[in-house]
């Protein structure tokens, strides 16, 4: 849904310049004859775009037809070429038809030919930035967006282009700054939707939901409101609230019955509630309406989970053989889990080398490396995916499995449990595997590791004999034990990310201070005379 926002805001910029010309097609014959008639489809799309709202798809198609007709008679109209290019981009994004993208590129380049960038053609440059984003070319999107920002810093439609570009490149700090600037320059549903996305990416769930509710309340068209309600459904689903998500998707679909993202979301929620037949029905409808790569993968995994292997293989093959502009993550995960993991690594390394370093690419590359038998290298990418703040059950599950392969049982147990707490039904295949992996790790051991056990009193019959190893004293336990020692700690004994260094002390590695302080607390308990069973119970509670 992010790219839909970009193309819509850019369309608003381009259409604003042709709004008067479009109105002239409808108004003159009614001058002096009373109130004008209600706006037609093309005019409705023009009005919606000028307000930064999402037009209904039939109205958007009417606008495209209208501009095509106008330009046949007025080929020198650079503003109409820019508006047409932006409209092609939005339609292609919203219906998943990449054939609209070459049309958009031709229209936008024609606009620049009629009026070059040096003469102030900002609309065409914005359109090219949105088109690059729709194609997943984040570097080009960033370049176009920054050109516009430099030329006109107060031009608000440049900032959604930049937000998506920075997110795609993994520069989340720049994305946050661009979002703050957007809020300074503009208001309305599009801005609140952007705020919701920024809060979600940082793990601020309540703030994300509140901003998304604002966006729904401020929406000016049914299409815009459906998109906002679908976004609310996504947020509820990611929190593990399948019933709430189902209600929100249902509200969106009552407004726009063929809203592709909400059909896919409802299918996901129904599967999570165990209503498999209904989920498969909605997946078929969603794929007919909006055949995105990630939808093909997710639907295929539901078919596989319920034993419909032939149908699953057909969807996987459709994904492999399709032409996609933003399908590298889905294709990488497909090969990692259902094909050739080594090929997935090659594909995702190439994406990383392009500078596409979002958390989604980091997670997929880490998972592919793990599946290809390289868990040590995988760990750094998996941590990068989870460290940014996004609370993703899938990312957390991937990290837990990689840690389990590295025999880091404490962190693995914690992350696998966390994935199931975030959303117990996060995947029709992987949620069950997370449960199995957690069961295989077993419960915390009944005893603390040797390093954390208190030293028996001098002269005690339990004092270490000549053949026994001396237990660590309370001072050593408190000062030298790490959070990762054995299974009894809840700390992080993770190997470092590729190319990083760090030290591990009583507070554990970065990001695991709570676990580390718990370990130090065990040592303190030993120093003050607490029994080993007391300390063990404390460690189990922390886990």
């Amino acid at each position: 849904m992010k790219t839909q926002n970009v193309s819509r805001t850019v369309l608003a910029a381009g259409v604003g310049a042709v709004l008067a010309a479009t109105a002239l097609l409808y108004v003159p014959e009614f001058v002096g004859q009373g109130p004008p008639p209600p706006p037609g489809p093309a005019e409705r799309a023009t009005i919606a775009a000028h307000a930064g709202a999402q037009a209904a798809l039939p109205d958007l198609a009417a606008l495209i037809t209208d501009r095509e007709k106008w330009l046949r008679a007025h080929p020198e109209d650079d503003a109409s070429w820019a508006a047409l290019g932006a409209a092609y981009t939005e339609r292609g994004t919203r219906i998943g038809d990449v054939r609209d993208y070459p049309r958009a590129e031709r229209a936008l380049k024609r606009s620049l030919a009629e009026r070059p960038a040096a003469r102030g053609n900002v609309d065409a440059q914005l359109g090219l930035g949105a088109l690059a984003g729709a194609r997943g070319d984040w570097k080009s999107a960033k370049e176009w967006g920054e050109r516009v920002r430099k030329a006109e810093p107060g031009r608000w439609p440049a900032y959604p282009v930049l937000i998506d570009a920075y997110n795609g490149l993994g520069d989340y700090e720049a994305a946050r700054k661009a979002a703050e600037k957007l809020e300074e320059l503009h208001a309305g549903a599009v801005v609140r939707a952007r705020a919701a996305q920024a809060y979600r990416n940082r793990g601020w769930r309540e703030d994300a939901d509140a901003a998304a509710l604002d966006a729904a309340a401020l929406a000016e068209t049914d299409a815009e409101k459906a998109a906002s309600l679908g976004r609310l459904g996504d947020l509820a689903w990611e929190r593990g609230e399948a019933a709430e998500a189902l209600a929100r998707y249902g509200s969106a679909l009552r407004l726009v019955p063929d809203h592709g993202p909400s059909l896919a979301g409802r299918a996901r929620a129904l599967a999570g509630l165990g209503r498999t037949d209904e989920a498969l029905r909605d997946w078929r409808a969603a794929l007919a309406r909006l055949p995105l790569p990630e939808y093909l993968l997710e639907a295929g995994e539901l078919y596989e989970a319920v034993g419909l292997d032939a149908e699953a293989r057909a969807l996987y093959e459709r994904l492999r053989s399709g032409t996609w502009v933003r399908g590298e993550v889905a294709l990488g995960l497909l090969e990692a889990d259902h094909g050739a993991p080594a090929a997935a690594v090659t594909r995702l390394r190439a994406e990383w080398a392009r500078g596409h370093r979002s958390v989604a690419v980091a997670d997929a590359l880490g998972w592919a490396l793990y599946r290809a038998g390289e868990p040590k290298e995988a760990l750094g990418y998996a941590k990068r995916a989870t460290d940014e703040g996004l609370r993703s059950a899938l990312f957390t599950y991937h990290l837990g499995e990689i840690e389990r392969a590295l025999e880091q049982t404490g962190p693995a147990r914690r992350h696998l449990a966390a994935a199931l707490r975030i959303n117990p039904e996060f995947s029709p295949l992987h949620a069950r595997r997370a449960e199995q992996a957690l069961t295989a790790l077993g419960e915390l051991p009944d005893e603390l590791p040797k390093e954390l056990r208190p030293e028996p009193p001098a002269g005690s019959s339990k004092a270490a004999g000549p053949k026994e190893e001396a237990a660590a004293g309370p001072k050593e336990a408190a000062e030298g034990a790490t959070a990762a020692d054995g299974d009894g700690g809840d700390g992080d004994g993770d190997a470092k990310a590729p190319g990083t260094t760090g030290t591990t002390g009583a507070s554990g590695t970065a990001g695991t201070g709570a676990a580390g302080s718990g370990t130090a607390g065990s040592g303190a308990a030993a120093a003050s005379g607490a029994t080993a069973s007391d300390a063990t119970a404390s460690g189990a509670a922390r886990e």
Side-chain angles (χ1 to χ4, degrees), residues 13-403:
V15 167
V18 298
L19 185 61
T22 303
L24 289 175
L25 298 177
Y26 305 98
V27 173
E29 64 268 34
F30 297 102
V31 173
Q33 298 182 24
E43 195 175 5
R44 285 198 302 269
T46 303
I47 294 168
H50 187 60
Q54 191 174 90
L57 279 170
D59 292 353
L60 183 62
L63 175 62
I64 289 171
T65 301
D66 180 82
R67 289 298 89 194
E68 288 173 336
K69 179 180 178 181
W70 171 266
L71 286 163
R72 281 193 288 270
H74 305 87
E76 74 290 346
D77 186 350
D78 62 277
S80 284
W81 282 115
L84 179 62
Y88 280 140
T89 299
E90 181 170 357
R91 185 175 69 177
T93 301
R94 287 173 59 185
I95 66 175
D97 188 351
V98 299
R99 293 174 298 179
D100 266 332
Y101 296 155
R103 299 181 185 120
E105 185 174 8
R106 288 192 295 270
L108 293 163
K109 287 184 174 179
R110 178 62 183 271
S111 178
L112 284 175
E114 296 296 333
R115 185 186 179 199
R119 289 171 48 201
N121 191 346
V122 173
D123 293 340
Q125 294 176 78
L126 277 172
L128 286 166
L131 176 61
R135 286 171 159 170
D137 182 359
W138 304 120
K139 283 187 175 181
S140 295
K142 174 186 171 182
E143 290 171 4
W144 286 113
E146 289 183 344
R147 285 186 194 180
V148 173
R149 180 171 61 183
K150 183 178 180 180
E152 295 188 20
R155 190 69 171 259
W156 73 265
Y159 292 91
V161 173
L162 288 169
I163 292 167
D164 278 349
Y166 293 141
N167 282 332
L169 295 169
D171 189 349
Y172 291 99
E173 182 59 30
R176 285 192 281 269
K177 290 179 179 178
E180 290 168 2
K181 186 64 176 179
L182 176 61
E183 290 200 77
E184 291 177 12
L185 294 171
H186 196 61
V190 64
V191 176
R192 298 311 295 154
R194 287 287 168 176
Q197 188 69 21
Y199 295 146
R200 169 192 174 269
N201 290 347
R202 301 182 76 172
W204 299 355
R205 291 179 158 186
E206 294 80 4
D207 299 279
D209 209 58
L213 283 166
D214 289 344
L218 293 168
E220 299 186 19
T221 66
D222 284 351
E224 183 78 358
K225 189 173 285 292
S228 298
L229 290 165
R231 187 178 298 107
L232 282 163
D234 292 343
L235 292 170
W237 169 253
E238 290 172 359
R239 295 194 303 268
E241 299 172 3
E244 176 66 19
L246 186 64
R248 290 174 168 185
Y249 293 130
S251 297
L253 290 165
R254 281 190 290 274
L255 289 169
V256 180
D258 61 349
H259 187 244
S262 293
L263 284 169
R266 190 169 69 179
R268 192 180 297 123
L270 287 166
L273 292 168
R275 295 162 62 177
T276 305
D277 290 342
E278 295 169 87
L280 293 173
R281 174 207 66 198
D282 272 2
W283 271 125
R284 287 190 290 270
L287 292 174
R289 180 67 185 78
L290 188 61
L292 297 180
E294 56 268 32
Y295 293 173
L296 288 165
L297 177 60
E298 193 171 353
E301 290 187 339
L302 177 59
Y303 277 108
E304 183 177 341
V306 299
L308 299 172
D309 294 340
E311 291 84 349
R313 286 193 298 270
L315 288 175
Y316 296 155
E317 184 54 35
R318 183 177 170 188
L319 175 52
R320 286 191 181 95
S321 60
T323 301
W324 315 108
V325 294
R326 290 172 60 177
E328 294 307 308
V329 168
L331 286 163
L333 291 173
L334 172 68
E335 292 302 333
D337 283 324
H338 311 286
V345 170
T346 300
R347 178 184 292 277
L348 291 163
R349 281 196 195 279
E351 191 74 356
W352 194 262
R354 291 176 65 197
H356 294 181
R357 300 183 177 185
S358 67
V359 291
V361 176
D363 168 73
L365 178 53
W367 186 244
L369 284 163
Y370 158 75
R371 295 285 292 172
E374 299 291 340
K376 287 185 179 179
E377 186 180 1
L379 184 61
Y381 293 105
K383 284 188 170 183
R384 179 164 178 156
T386 54
D387 283 351
E388 178 59 33
L390 174 65
R391 298 192 66 192
S392 164
L394 181 64
F395 293 4
T396 307
Y397 161 70
H398 286 166
L399 176 58
E401 285 284 36
I402 292 166
E403 290 166 333

Side-chain angles (χ1 to χ4, degrees), residues 376-377 379-380 383 408 492-504 508-510:
K376 287 185 179 179
E377 186 180 1
L379 184 61
K383 284 188 170 183
Q408 297 178 5
D492 192 346
D494 301 351
K496 300 300 177 188
T500 65
T501 60
T503 59
T504 307
T509 57

